[in-house]
Amino acid sequence: MTEREKQIINLIKENPLITQEEIAATLNCARTSIAVHISNLMKKGIILGKKYIINEDPYILTIGGTNVDIQGKSYSTVVRYDSNPGSVTISFGGVGKNIAENINKLGINSKFVTALGDDIYGKNIKEYLNNQNLDISDSLFLKNQQTSMYVSILNDDKEMEMAVSSTDICKNITPEFLETIRKKITNAKLLVLDTNLEEEALRYIAFLRRKPNLILDTVSTKKSLKVKEFIGRFHTIKPNKLEAEILSGITIYSNDDLERAGEYFLHKGVKKVLISLGAKGVFYMTQDKQGIIKIPRINTVSSTGAGDAFVAGLAYGEYNDYDIEEASKFGLGAAILTSLNEKTVSDHISVKNVENIIKEMEI
């Protein structure tokens, strides 16, 4: 918050019924200026409603998928149509869950809405998330349904060769269900979505008349198509290069192509565009600023979860009013930390550790 916004909040805490005219007189400034500040505080989710109800603990809400991750890692070059010697691990993942958990580790009040089955995996995930102090109180817990599963195969370079995602349970996150938690959605300071949700659910949120800024993780080329017709309704988008091509219709071979794709999204109404370039870094663009942030070569342990950490870092930057370049660097720092260990959500994620790795690697 700005210093003036803090002054306004203090006056409202002392007298919740204070008028804009009284605030202006106390602070010796124009009422129109106070109106602008209060409007900004409402957009940030710090003031709720016209009666100046103050949200003492602003939060980021993530709505998306949770699943059981089964990851196979080949010891040598993957041979298709054959059994490959390697290792297999089982963990809890999902784009939405990973993002929400990373946000929580970055010290922000993180709330998460997802759908879990009543099978053993769903019960274990619920217990795990509760132990992480992640608020999942508005999530769906469904009887006789299977919790989402994600099976991936990594090659000997620790890059994903292929994956199969079973996320049918997310179909239960319908517009009708979302309507029941509408206040939780609209009162969030920031809302993060992934395209594991059905198109109807994404459309419902995108077209809410009053909503926080929306950050979209497009997840995959096929799932990204769900939002192609209304991509401009999202404040910030983070596709990779292939997803950006699918959504924009522009084949990306060069930096000029990246710029043309960025301009396409901005013209549609997106405010902040970030296109992941994998090991080459990230392209970012707004109406006022653009560039590419490169990252140094690192000894990656696993790339799974790095993109989710990047989105969490972006959300942290947006929450703290970073500009797009600062937010991109913070996101890359979180992604690098994640890629240096086996877990999809690193135990080492913290603001201090992210800032240290940005400094050490001169990102």
Side-chain angles (χ1 to χ4, degrees), residues 147-253:
T147 299
S148 294
M149 302 189 78
Y150 179 83
V151 182
S152 61
I153 303 296
L154 306 186
N155 59 30
D156 53 331
D157 288 326
K158 304 180 183 66
E159 293 291 336
M160 187 175 71
E161 285 275 335
M162 66 185 71
V164 176
S165 178
S166 172
T167 59
D168 286 349
I169 196 170
C170 286
K171 293 178 181 179
N172 291 280
I173 302 177
T174 62
E176 291 75 21
F177 164 71
L178 292 170
E179 183 64 27
T180 68
I181 60 167
R182 184 168 184 159
K183 285 188 177 179
K184 183 63 65 70
I185 294 171
T186 57
N187 288 342
K189 183 172 181 180
L190 193 65
L191 184 59
V192 183
L193 303 171
D194 74 48
T195 56
N196 286 309
L197 301 177
E198 292 295 290
E199 180 179 335
E200 293 78 8
L202 292 163
R203 186 181 292 272
Y204 167 87
I205 296 170
F207 283 89
L208 282 174
R209 186 177 62 83
R210 179 178 176 270
K211 60 182 182 293
N213 287 343
L214 305 181
I215 295 180
L216 179 71
D217 189 316
T218 47
V219 179
S220 70
T221 52
K222 187 170 184 178
K223 291 181 179 180
S224 69
L225 288 172
K226 297 175 184 178
V227 297
K228 184 172 183 177
E229 292 183 4
F230 52 99
I231 191 68
R233 304 291 299 186
F234 299 93
H235 180 273
T236 301
I237 62 171
K238 196 273 320 177
N240 63 23
K241 187 169 75 71
L242 288 176
E243 292 156 6
E245 289 179 338
I246 290 289
L247 289 169
S248 67
I250 297 170
T251 302
I252 299 173
Y253 291 116

Side-chain angles (χ1 to χ4, degrees), residues 270-289:
V270 177
K271 304 302 180 186
K272 296 182 179 181
V273 179
L274 299 108
I275 300 177
S276 172
L277 307 175
K280 294 182 179 180
V282 64
F283 169 80
Y284 64 86
M285 189 174 189
T286 65
Q287 291 287 359
D288 304 314
K289 197 171 187 178

Side-chain angles (χ1 to χ4, degrees), residues 72-106:
K73 186 185 300 180
S74 177
Y75 292 147
S76 57
T77 302
V78 173
V79 179
R80 296 199 174 193
Y81 314 113
D82 198 2
S83 176
N84 292 264
S87 62
V88 177
T89 58
I90 299 178
S91 60
F92 302 142
V95 173
K97 172 261 174 193
N98 292 343
I99 293 170
E101 188 176 350
N102 277 304
I103 290 171
N104 192 50
K105 286 179 176 291
L106 291 170

Side-chain angles (χ1 to χ4, degrees), residues 61-80:
L61 175 63
T62 303
I63 306 178
T66 304
N67 46 253
V68 181
D69 279 337
I70 301 175
Q71 183 182 94
K73 186 185 300 180
S74 177
Y75 292 147
S76 57
T77 302
V78 173
V79 179
R80 296 199 174 193

